[in-house]
Amino acid sequence: MIERHPCVYILASGRHGTLYVGVTSNLLGRLHQHRSGGIPGFTSRYHVHRLVHYEVADTMEAAIAREKQLKNWHRDWKAALIERSNPLWDDLSPSLGLPPFLSS
């Protein structure tokens, strides 16, 4: 279970939609915050709630470094990264034990 491990993650509003790159040590908790509107801002404003990519890191410092790297990437590079392991941009939340995000 990756619940309490440092990781970087990418959320999307839909296939090839708006992207958000974040870092956390509690991915399940962070996803819940994004989806419940507990974090006002970008993800709630642009309806970016679908987990399309995540990477577990050995340390929080490594996860933060990877987040900074991804945030500096061109959009096309991020899309290619997502599509290598998730070509249909499916919501990966069910693989972590969460229900898929259903837009309202």
Side-chain angles (χ1 to χ4, degrees):
M1 177 70 110
I2 67 159
E3 185 175 346
R4 289 282 180 187
H5 293 288
C7 66
V8 60
Y9 61 95
I10 301 176
L11 302 179
S13 60
R15 190 168 187 193
H16 296 284
T18 304
L19 299 177
Y20 174 85
V21 178
V23 66
T24 185
S25 62
N26 180 354
L27 184 56
L28 296 176
R30 189 75 166 143
L31 287 171
H32 177 71
Q33 288 175 328
H34 282 297
R35 291 176 173 193
S36 68
I39 303 172
F42 185 86
T43 59
S44 59
R45 184 172 35 250
Y46 294 101
H47 308 287
V48 181
H49 303 293
R50 182 187 299 191
L51 177 66
V52 293
H53 179 80
Y54 67 92
E55 300 172 12
V56 177
D58 291 331
T59 65
M60 196 60 178
E61 292 79 14
I64 291 168
R66 179 65 168 157
E67 176 199 29
K68 289 178 181 179
Q69 179 185 44
L70 292 177
K71 284 186 173 189
N72 285 320
W73 278 17
H74 296 281
R75 179 181 173 74
D76 291 345
W77 299 354
K78 293 175 198 171
L81 174 67
I82 294 164
E83 290 177 358
R84 273 199 298 269
S85 60
N86 188 2
L88 299 178
W89 295 54
D90 292 327
D91 184 2
L92 301 176
S93 299
S95 69
L96 301 175
L98 291 176
F101 181 76
L102 302 174
S103 57
S104 50

